[in-house]
Amino acid sequence: MLREKIFIASDHAGFELKEKICSFLEKYDIAFENLGTHTNECCDYPDFAHLLSSKIDEKSFGILICGTGIGISIAANRHKNIRCALCNESLSASLARRHNDANVLALGGRLIGIELACELVKIFINTKFEGNRHMKRIQKIEENQC
Ligand code: RB5
């Protein structure tokens, strides 16, 4: 893994997939912190997007899961330091790192299974940002945040 630690969080709709991803991370001895939710009980995805976003720095990645991955990624991307990419296939997970220097991966717990989710996580946490022309574009995103 390219960073020291992963923060992972979900709402109720992403809870089951989150727990399975946590087991996968544990199995491969990948350092992570589970920020909740910790039950199936109905909750609000922005709460978890905001909590996780407040923890992310240059040494960490984030994984966020809601039913579709859409709401939780929108909420996370309101944070200045967050580039959250919703990925449902491998090439997006790779390009989100290589071109966008994404630091948070969003997944749809009601859309994808555990095998694909683990594949996306592996790609995301092991793929380097390519820099060069992509750097300027990321700077432009940050310059224009209101
Ligand atoms: C919760 O029912 C669902 O709306 C939420 O998990 C997410 O899919 C929103 O984008």
Side-chain angles (χ1 to χ4, degrees), residues 11-14 42-43 45 65-74 108-110:
D11 71 354
H12 58 288
C42 196
C43 59
Y45 59 79
I65 310 159
C66 67
T68 57
I70 296 172
I72 209 157
S73 60
I74 291 172
R110 288 174 174 160

Side-chain angles (χ1 to χ4, degrees), residues 93-109:
S94 172
L95 289 171
R97 288 289 310 133
R98 286 159 51 199
H99 289 191
N100 309 112
D101 198 19
N103 50 8
V104 179
L105 172 67
L107 301 170

Side-chain angles (χ1 to χ4, degrees), residues 6 40 58 79 95:
I6 295 175
N40 273 323
E58 321 77 55
H79 291 254
L95 289 171

